[in-house]
């Protein structure tokens, strides 16, 4: 997805990503780490916005200290991304925290997302499955309006837009299916 976004945004050298339903912030910080480590995006202005309806989890996200349950996989892959804290957890390094901004937001109010965008990619994993059909439709419509032309919507593996009439196009990127707003 990064090469396609780079080609579309080449003249601007700016990339903005939304982590919708970001909870305690792990996804937002992971996105910041991946984007900032990408050679293709070297020198670009990067911004990751995390939104959630819960003030409690957003406070945790802003603190950016995580315990062992937040880490899976090869720890060496994230070397240098964290500092050890006095609390015994690991804190996301300042350079990655600076790329992330958190805000309380009810996703069902799709018009409010437009104030934060436009976004080049929206990650909304395992959120829509908890909503009824009407709420899901309003959220997806809000995502479409908040995305830049050619921007991507990524959902959780158990979610799809197959039962919703939307203007998104389904595209295959390597082994994954994602949704894209028409360029």
């Amino acid at each position: 997805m990064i090469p396609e976004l780079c080609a579309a945004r080449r003249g601007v050298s700016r990339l903005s990503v939304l982590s919708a339903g970001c909870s305690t912030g792990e996804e937002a910080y992971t996105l910041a780490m991946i984007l900032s480590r990408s050679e293709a995006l070297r020198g670009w202005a990067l911004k990751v916005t995390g939104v959630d309806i819960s003030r409690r989890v957003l406070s945790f996200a802003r603190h950016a200290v995580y315990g062992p349950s937040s880490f899976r996989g090869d720890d060496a892959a994230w070397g240098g991304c964290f500092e050890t804290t006095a609390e015994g957890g690991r804190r996301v390094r300042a350079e990655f925290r600076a790329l992330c901004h958190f805000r309380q937001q009810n996703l069902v109010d799709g018009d409010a997302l437009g104030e934060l965008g436009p976004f080049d990619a929206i990650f909304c994993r395992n959120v829509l499955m908890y909503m009824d059909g009407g709420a899901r439709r309003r959220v997806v419509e809000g995502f479409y309006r908040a995305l830049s032309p050619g921007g991507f919507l990524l959902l959780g593996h158990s979610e799809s837009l197959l039962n919703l009439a939307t203007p998104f196009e389904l595209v295959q990127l390597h082994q994954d299916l994602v949704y894209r707003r028409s360029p």
Side-chain angles (χ1 to χ4, degrees):
M1 187 172 70
I2 290 176
E4 285 200 32
L5 289 173
C6 285
R9 308 292 291 158
R10 184 158 312 191
V12 181
S13 298
R14 178 197 60 80
L15 197 68
S16 183
V17 177
L18 175 68
S19 174
C22 70
S23 189
T24 54
E26 287 96 328
E27 179 179 76
Y29 289 121
T30 301
L31 290 167
M33 292 170 194
I34 291 168
L35 295 173
S36 66
R37 289 178 157 192
S38 170
E39 282 297 320
L41 298 172
R42 184 98 35 229
W44 283 45
L46 304 173
K47 182 178 179 183
V48 178
T49 302
V51 297
D52 202 281
I53 198 166
S54 169
R55 283 188 173 98
R56 182 185 58 78
V57 297
L58 290 171
S59 176
F60 191 96
R62 288 181 185 107
H63 189 58
V65 175
Y66 299 97
S69 64
S70 294
F71 299 95
R72 286 181 244 148
D74 183 11
D75 203 34
W78 302 107
C81 294
F82 297 92
E83 310 160 340
T84 303
T85 67
E87 300 109 5
R90 293 193 288 176
R91 185 168 199 209
V92 176
R93 283 187 30 199
E95 66 189 83
F96 305 116
R97 291 193 319 267
L99 299 177
C100 295
H101 309 275
F102 296 96
R103 177 175 168 166
Q104 184 185 21
Q105 180 69 55
N106 184 344
L107 294 175
V108 178
D109 181 5
D111 291 334
L113 286 177
E115 299 171 13
L116 302 174
F119 297 102
D120 301 296
I122 296 176
F123 290 76
C124 183
R125 299 166 22 109
N126 304 320
V127 175
L128 295 177
M129 64 187 186
Y130 296 107
M131 298 178 181
D132 66 31
R136 192 172 22 251
R137 181 183 45 75
R138 286 191 302 279
V139 170
V140 170
E141 287 170 355
F143 287 161
Y144 189 82
R145 287 190 303 274
L147 272 172
S148 297
F152 293 96
L153 172 63
L154 293 91
L155 302 176
H157 291 293
S158 62
E159 299 170 311
S160 76
L161 302 181
L162 296 178
N163 294 326
L164 287 175
T166 74
F168 281 103
E169 58 186 27
L170 186 61
V171 296
Q172 185 166 355
L173 295 178
H174 300 286
Q175 298 176 7
D176 293 308
L177 294 174
V178 300
Y179 299 92
R180 179 173 49 198
R181 180 176 170 165
S182 300

